[in-house]
Amino acid sequence: MEFTREVLRHGTGVYVSGRHRFGADAMLLSGFARPRRAERAVDLCSGCGIVTLRWHDLGHRGPCLAVEKEPEAAALLARAVAEDPELGHIRPLCADLNDLAGDGLAHLAAANPPYFSGGLVSPDPVRAAARHEGGCTLEQVAAAAARCLRDGGRFALCHRPEQLARVFAALAAARLEPKRLVFVKQRAQDAPWLFLLEAQKNRRPGLRLAPDVLMEDAGGRPSAQLQKIYREGM
């Protein structure tokens, strides 16, 4: 497997390959919901580990379990952890999240799950697994998060706006109550292309709709809001 090393803002290294990269959605998710410095965290569908590594880059030092089924992707994070002693609080786990028992102790779980349940599927099985639900459905991701979280623990995910109703239903089935919702737009006049949602385990209803995140300003440049999220989170 060929790979390259990218460096985050505060010096944390991330290994990526042609099949396993990260995009704006993962950067937004890792800035939207961050564990406090010593909290226990779980990164589900972790891919190359970008959410886990960006949490570290932003100051997290508590135990962090990063779960990824695809061996090549899991190996990228394992390499980053092996090469940097400061990443010793991170445990890469190559496993199917459906087999993850969970200990009910995590303060925060996050997932950037496959978005698509239909349509064209890539002939590359690795790319297909990253983008299309197969053995990793939205409902399974929510259930795995619930097993990992303590009462009141937070679960954050990103997904496509057309799946919002289904996301709410999956969270309800796992006893995860939506608490904070943000829509992401390219420009102010555009329809949202992504949403970020935080839920809590076994809590009463009470959803707060936060201001939209805009990727670009009126001049087509990265917005000040986006730059702040990339720099220090929300």
Side-chain angles (χ1 to χ4, degrees), residues 10-30:
H10 300 293
T12 305
V14 183
Y15 283 102
V16 298
S17 68
R19 284 173 151 185
H20 304 289
R21 306 193 65 82
F22 60 88
D25 50 359
M27 294 291 287
L28 290 165
L29 177 64
S30 57

Side-chain angles (χ1 to χ4, degrees), residues 1 3 13-17 19-21 43-50 52-53 65-83 87 90-97 126 130:
M1 174 178 60
F3 54 82
V14 183
Y15 283 102
V16 298
S17 68
R19 284 173 151 185
H20 304 289
R21 306 193 65 82
D43 179 12
L44 301 171
C45 308
S46 65
C48 67
I50 179 58
T52 294
L53 293 170
L65 177 66
V67 184
E68 171 55 46
K69 181 179 180 179
E70 213 292 311
E72 286 189 7
L76 292 169
L77 176 58
R79 184 181 184 92
V81 170
E83 291 186 356
L87 300 179
I90 295 170
R91 180 162 72 95
L93 177 63
C94 185
D96 189 325
L97 60 78
V126 173

